[in-house]
Amino acid sequence: MTLRHHSPPAVTVQVGPGWLLGAALLVLACLGLAAVAYVGWASSGRVALGLLAVWALGVWGARKTWRHLPRGRLRWDRQAWSWQANADGDTAGAAAEEKCIAITALKVAIDMQIALGLHVKTDVGSYFFWVQAPSSRHPHDWLALRRAVYSSPSWMLQPPVQ
């Protein structure tokens, strides 16, 4: 009996920061502010002011990162991965022109079952994609994406050595 390898179905999903990532950042910001308030209450005003400045810098950095996460469409066509950036996204080079860019390497960094954090390499650069499960109207797209991500090992995505 021979086993046949079936390629996962073709799928296209939106990438970009979703409500889950936003909620996680908001919770972390609130916890950080609570820690600053607790330590500031027990210490001098200068320490509290310094901690508040560090907290504000952290919130500013998180907001900037959130705004610059790539947005667009991630596509698996049963052969290869590609990415089409949104024209209003903050991406470099040709990606901002709605051009389809071939992905040379894709690796799962975070798997939360309802969201994936993906490290993606293209000829244009390296990106971190945040992909969140679509609404309950399209659960088959999410399952197809997960099958495609986990059934295309990174060595298959690397260009051949010449």
Side-chain angles (χ1 to χ4, degrees):
M1 181 164 134
T2 60
L3 295 176
R4 284 193 251 169
H5 175 72
H6 294 285
S7 171
V11 65
T12 301
V13 295
Q14 288 292 119
V15 297
W19 67 266
L20 183 64
L21 184 59
L25 290 175
L26 184 62
V27 166
L28 286 174
C30 290
L31 288 174
L33 186 58
V36 166
Y38 177 75
V39 171
W41 183 265
S43 62
S44 70
R46 287 185 182 181
V47 171
L49 194 57
L51 288 174
L52 189 60
V54 169
W55 173 83
L57 188 63
V59 168
W60 175 81
R63 182 177 181 272
K64 186 173 179 170
T65 300
W66 166 273
R67 293 187 62 187
H68 286 66
L69 279 174
R71 290 163 173 79
R73 288 177 292 284
L74 180 64
R75 182 169 182 252
W76 168 252
D77 64 5
R78 299 188 72 162
Q79 300 286 326
W81 288 98
S82 62
W83 171 46
Q84 187 173 7
N86 286 352
D88 59 352
D90 291 314
T91 54
E97 300 171 2
E98 291 268 347
K99 184 177 178 184
C100 224
I101 298 173
I103 292 175
T104 57
L106 182 142
K107 180 181 174 188
V108 176
I110 301 169
D111 186 348
M112 299 174 61
Q113 298 299 316
I114 61 170
L116 289 171
L118 304 172
H119 283 260
V120 174
K121 290 186 181 178
T122 68
D123 292 335
V124 176
S126 296
Y127 301 94
F128 180 82
F129 286 169
W130 183 260
V131 186
Q132 197 166 302
S135 65
S136 58
R137 293 175 290 175
H138 303 288
H140 58 280
D141 286 348
W142 180 246
L143 297 174
L145 172 72
R146 291 183 58 82
R147 280 194 302 272
V149 165
Y150 282 107
S151 66
S152 54
S154 59
W155 59 267
M156 287 178 61
L157 297 172
Q158 298 298 330
V161 178
Q162 298 181 6

